[in-house]
Amino acid sequence: MSFYERYLEYKNFDFEGFFNKVTDRDIVNIMNKDRLTELDFLMLLSEKAANYLEPLAQKAKKLTLQNFGKVIFLYTPMYLANYCVNQCVYCGFNITNSIKRRKLTLEEVEKEAKAISSTGLRHILILTGESRKESSVQYIKECVKILRKYFRSISIEVYPLEENEYVQLIDAGVDGITLYQEVYNEEKYKMLHLKGPKRNYLHRIDAPERACRASMRSVNIGALFGLHDWRTEAFYAGIHADYLQDKYTDVEISLSLPRIRPHCGSFMPDCKVEDRDLVQIMISYRLFMPRAGITISTRESERLRNNLIGLGVTKMSAASSTEVGGHSLENKSEGQFDISDKRNVEEMKEMIYSKGYQPVFKDWQAI
Amino acid sequence: MDDKLTIGGREISSRLFIGTGKFPANSIIPDVIKMSGAQVVTTALRRIDFDSDEENMLKYIPKDCILMPNTSGARNAEEAVRIARIARASGCGNFIKIEVISDNRYLLPDNMETIRATEMLVREGFTVLPYINPDLMDARRLKDAGAAAVMPLGAPIGTNKGLRTREMVKILIHEIDIPVIVDAGIGKPSEACEAMEIGAAAVLVNTAIATAGDPVVMAEAFANAVMAGRKAFLSGTGPVKEYAEASSPLTGFLA
């Protein structure tokens, strides 16, 4: 069984008809439940539920506090390479974009690692574009070997791998994976991923499960909001997380809420996701999966990020760069997309403390 | 009244143990420890940043406390053993709280793996305090394996739901002759007091203090409650009666 079969169960589901039938009483009942069903979760994503955003937010806050306490985990992304063979219309690394392509040498990896770890960060997320030639598993392993000297937790956000490749990377010192399906709607997925291996929807949707099978410690998934109707996309991402958590009980499953940002290229997203929509998604995730980590990156603005603390978010990136070499090198590449919140680690720390929360730099110890 | 608790050859003056996770800032931990009177302090090895001055949790724990690192994040016995070894090699002492969790939805302890880890770590000379689901047979196995105490949960971790496992914990207290320390789920001082009244050797509290409006004052409230509960246990509470006891008994004429 693959999550794809769960996806198919809802393929012909009348989402619009379902949303139209949600009543005030439904939402109040859900608020009083401890364990939500999939359809409860779907109701929370309805327009009707938006009328109850404040009491739902209060419950989300309570659950987050109970499960995670007054802490926010910090990490930063580090781009190793931006070579990419895919043609995804919304991405700056699109093969048809004439941007400067670059890949860090191992010496440069060390330089970037030193610069990042000097800010106190102990968790790193390394990224590459999809190019098995330029960013091979072997290359990633060599980078991880260097990064282990500087960081206590190393996550990867790279192209979908095979199970044995995840095992190799875990053996090398990787403990987490981030992999967004981008778009769960299969037809829309095909429209946005024109060429390259990423066009293979199934191979991507099963990748988080392959990582779970390989015994990855933490698996972070998500939909890229703005590419398709957010209510159904958030629903699929949520039930995907729930499916994985049910099947792989010892893996830490978490969700990200990336929203599309301006980037190199001409594509403009046509499905607007307002701040209040993003908040509704986050609250719904929290009520559906009280124990799941929720990540908000620097794609979002300072103001929004400050206000999301306490609502459900447990993990934030800081001092991010989407450029290869962006943390320390002079001849860095162009970025994958524009960062919105440009604050450095000290500024983020200060903000988190001012909210009555503790910024946590280290939450894992490679064993 | 001389009422010392002894674990792993150490005399422990306070029966309130505290955890260091979930606090709004590490800097308030010294005041929390002081007002709680706690001598045993648990902290997750995964959170200790040995490479940092400012962010190193250990800096906030007074030297006269007994540090009890825990194996949070371990998914099986082998991982718990590896974490325990790292803790000892890093100078965190000999006490170890074993926490093996293979269920991320409820964070319930895996007793079987915990027993295996206890067997291995006792052989390596650790003072082992395992966190368990209150089960009598498992508690016996842990005692036989050489655990220094058993730490049954009162309710799922972080829930603040109180001593929901009361009857099972009571059985452990009656049947197991190593200290039974209620760990997890205690949300209010009255619940800590209740655990002590039924004869728990100590209670371990984290979330209820860390997420309180004023953690320092709450720490003191827990300290008082634990002391009150202990004194009540030692003095022997009067029996609970189903009916009022008539002052002119009906069977008095038989005397």
Side-chain angles (χ1 to χ4, degrees):
Chain A
M1 161 116 184
S2 137
F3 175 69
Y4 185 60
E5 288 163 53
R6 301 295 305 283
Y7 168 78
L8 290 180
E9 284 172 27
Y10 284 97
K11 184 121 185 162
N12 298 313
F13 187 82
D14 177 15
F15 284 101
E16 209 185 319
F18 180 87
F19 284 138
N20 285 335
K21 283 194 199 125
V22 178
T23 65
D24 293 272
R25 201 185 166 80
D26 288 330
I27 305 301
V28 173
N29 282 343
I30 293 170
M31 265 191 275
N32 291 318
K33 279 182 154 187
D34 279 342
R35 180 85 157 89
L36 272 50
T37 65
E38 276 179 11
L39 292 181
D40 290 336
F41 169 51
L42 185 57
M43 285 193 226
L44 289 181
L45 295 165
S46 67
E47 269 180 60
K48 182 64 87 181
N51 298 333
Y52 293 83
L53 217 49
E54 183 55 33
L56 289 167
Q58 296 289 348
K59 180 153 189 198
K61 180 177 179 170
K62 205 178 121 212
L63 286 171
T64 309
L65 202 61
Q66 190 185 81
N67 283 293
F68 296 90
K70 292 183 172 172
V71 301
I72 296 287
F73 304 111
L74 292 176
Y75 74 100
T76 204
M78 170 177 171
Y79 280 70
L80 298 178
N82 62 358
Y83 290 95
C84 195
V85 297
N86 290 317
Q87 203 178 323
C88 313
V89 298
Y90 54 85
C91 180
F93 290 172
N94 187 325
I95 189 171
T96 61
N97 285 344
S98 52
I99 56 165
K100 183 173 165 188
R101 302 284 169 173
R102 198 176 183 308
K103 168 177 148 185
L104 295 182
T105 64
L106 296 181
E107 291 71 39
E108 288 172 331
V109 169
E110 184 129 22
K111 200 170 167 204
E112 287 271 282
K114 267 186 197 155
I116 294 167
S117 74
S118 72
T119 65
L121 292 171
R122 296 289 175 263
H123 288 211
I124 190 109
L125 172 68
I126 51 173
L127 299 94
T128 69
E130 178 149 7
S131 168
R132 281 192 172 265
K133 186 168 147 262
E134 297 292 344
S135 309
S136 66
V137 173
Q138 186 54 37
Y139 167 72
I140 299 169
K141 278 201 295 200
E142 282 161 20
C143 293
V144 168
K145 200 175 159 196
I146 293 164
L147 294 168
R148 282 188 75 164
K149 290 191 275 177
Y150 299 92
F151 301 99
R152 298 296 157 257
S153 166
I154 301 168
S155 293
I156 50 167
E157 186 171 345
V158 305
Y159 48 93
L161 299 172
E162 300 306 328
E163 187 178 330
N164 69 42
E165 292 172 320
Y166 286 126
V167 171
Q168 288 176 48
L169 284 167
I170 291 167
D171 289 344
V174 169
D175 56 72
I177 166 193
T178 286
L179 195 110
Y180 304 144
Q181 182 60 24
E182 323 285 20
V183 187
Y184 279 89
N185 181 286
E186 201 172 353
E187 285 73 44
K188 190 66 168 275
Y189 186 94
K190 294 278 181 197
M191 285 162 67
L192 297 170
H193 302 94
L194 303 178
K195 275 182 186 162
K198 192 163 172 180
R199 202 171 154 73
N200 186 341
Y201 176 90
L202 258 180
H203 191 250
R204 191 170 187 88
I205 210 163
D206 283 337
E209 182 158 7
R210 290 196 293 276
C212 288
R213 272 205 301 268
S215 211
M216 191 66 79
R217 177 165 296 278
S218 82
V219 171
N220 179 34
I221 61 171
L224 179 52
F225 293 111
L227 297 179
H228 192 64
D229 166 58
W230 65 264
R231 295 180 201 277
T232 50
E233 287 295 307
F235 175 66
Y236 284 127
I239 63 169
H240 191 183
D242 187 55
Y243 162 88
L244 293 171
Q245 191 67 86
D246 263 348
K247 210 164 163 184
Y248 305 94
T249 60
D250 63 351
V251 180
E252 284 178 18
I253 304 292
S254 55
L255 284 151
S256 283
L257 292 86
R259 206 161 36 157
I260 193 118
R261 289 284 304 156
H263 59 94
C264 176
S266 60
F267 172 78
M268 287 301 288
D270 56 356
C271 302
K272 204 144 175 54
V273 185
E274 304 287 354
D275 285 357
R276 63 178 296 116
D277 303 332
L278 200 76
V279 167
Q280 189 176 350
I281 299 168
M282 177 180 286
I283 290 169
S284 306
Y285 282 168
R286 174 54 69 230
L287 266 59
F288 184 48
M289 297 195 63
R291 282 279 324 144
I294 294 181
T295 304
I296 286 285
S297 76
T298 54
R299 289 169 183 266
E300 300 303 336
S301 69
E302 280 188 33
R303 186 175 165 274
L304 182 64
R305 296 220 308 161
N306 295 357
N307 284 299
L308 289 177
I309 290 182
L311 267 187
V313 63
T314 57
K315 202 168 180 183
M316 287 178 142
S317 48
S320 297
S321 162
T322 68
E323 303 144 344
V324 179
H327 292 280
S328 67
L329 306 179
E330 273 170 18
N331 59 338
K332 52 196 172 198
S333 76
E334 278 142 294
Q336 186 183 22
F337 54 83
D338 294 344
I339 297 292
S340 175
D341 183 348
K342 297 188 169 70
R343 283 174 291 186
N344 64 27
V345 175
E346 279 305 312
E347 290 164 331
M348 278 299 289
K349 239 168 97 171
E350 217 169 279
M351 181 276 286
I352 294 167
Y353 274 129
S354 78
K355 291 266 169 187
Y357 279 68
Q358 181 189 169
V360 171
F361 289 80
K362 177 174 178 285
D363 188 41
W364 187 238
Q365 169 84 42
I367 53 171
Chain B
M1 183 166 31
D2 185 25
D3 179 35
K4 288 268 175 16
L5 170 65
T6 304
I7 293 176
R10 299 281 298 265
E11 267 199 359
I12 295 161
S13 53
S14 168
R15 292 174 182 268
L16 173 61
F17 294 9
I18 62 165
T20 54
K22 299 186 174 180
F23 280 93
N26 283 339
S27 54
I28 67 166
I29 288 176
D31 283 341
V32 167
I33 293 176
K34 193 171 154 209
M35 293 314 285
S36 71
Q39 203 184 340
V40 178
V41 179
T42 188
T43 195
L45 178 83
R46 66 193 282 177
R47 285 278 173 88
I48 304 175
D49 189 352
F50 296 101
D51 308 323
S52 165
D53 273 348
E54 192 193 345
E55 303 300 331
N56 188 346
M57 170 85 70
L58 299 182
K59 203 183 91 175
Y60 300 95
I61 301 174
K63 293 282 167 280
D64 54 353
C65 283
I66 298 175
L67 179 67
M68 177 169 69
N70 67 62
T71 64
S72 161
R75 298 176 290 182
N76 52 47
E78 284 71 24
E79 289 188 352
V81 168
R82 289 214 289 277
I83 293 171
R85 285 176 187 154
I86 294 172
R88 184 156 71 179
S90 312
C92 293
N94 221 27
F95 274 58
I96 190 85
K97 173 186 158 184
I98 301 186
E99 205 177 302
V100 180
I101 286 170
S102 54
D103 168 71
N104 255 305
R105 214 178 289 266
Y106 296 101
L107 296 185
L108 291 172
D110 184 330
N111 281 6
M112 206 167 93
E113 292 295 309
T114 302
I115 294 166
R116 288 211 302 123
T118 301
E119 286 165 350
M120 292 189 255
L121 289 171
V122 167
R123 275 201 295 272
E124 295 184 21
F126 282 90
T127 298
V128 181
L129 294 92
Y131 167 58
I132 57 165
N133 238 315
D135 177 276
L136 177 60
M137 274 52 74
D138 286 344
R140 283 192 179 126
R141 289 181 185 108
L142 286 162
K143 191 204 149 218
D144 292 345
V150 286
M151 304 215 288
L153 55 88
I157 199 164
T159 58
N160 287 343
K161 285 186 174 172
L163 193 57
R164 295 296 177 100
T165 56
R166 184 188 161 99
E167 294 309 315
M168 300 301 132
V169 169
K170 247 168 108 171
I171 292 172
L172 298 196
I173 292 169
H174 292 156
E175 301 302 324
I176 304 292
D177 57 5
I178 52 176
V180 174
I181 299 166
V182 176
D183 180 2
I186 298 294
K188 294 194 281 288
S190 55
E191 293 154 0
C193 187
E194 182 189 358
M196 297 307 294
E197 279 173 3
I198 64 169
V203 294
L204 195 156
V205 180
N206 184 6
T207 307
I209 294 176
T211 63
D214 185 336
V216 177
V217 174
M218 188 57 89
E220 190 182 10
F222 268 100
N224 292 337
V226 166
M227 268 190 279
R230 181 65 186 170
K231 282 185 180 166
F233 171 73
L234 291 176
S235 61
T237 49
V240 177
K241 292 173 181 162
E242 205 68 31
Y243 302 100
E245 201 161 284
S247 45
S248 307
L250 297 175
T251 52
F253 71 96
L254 295 172

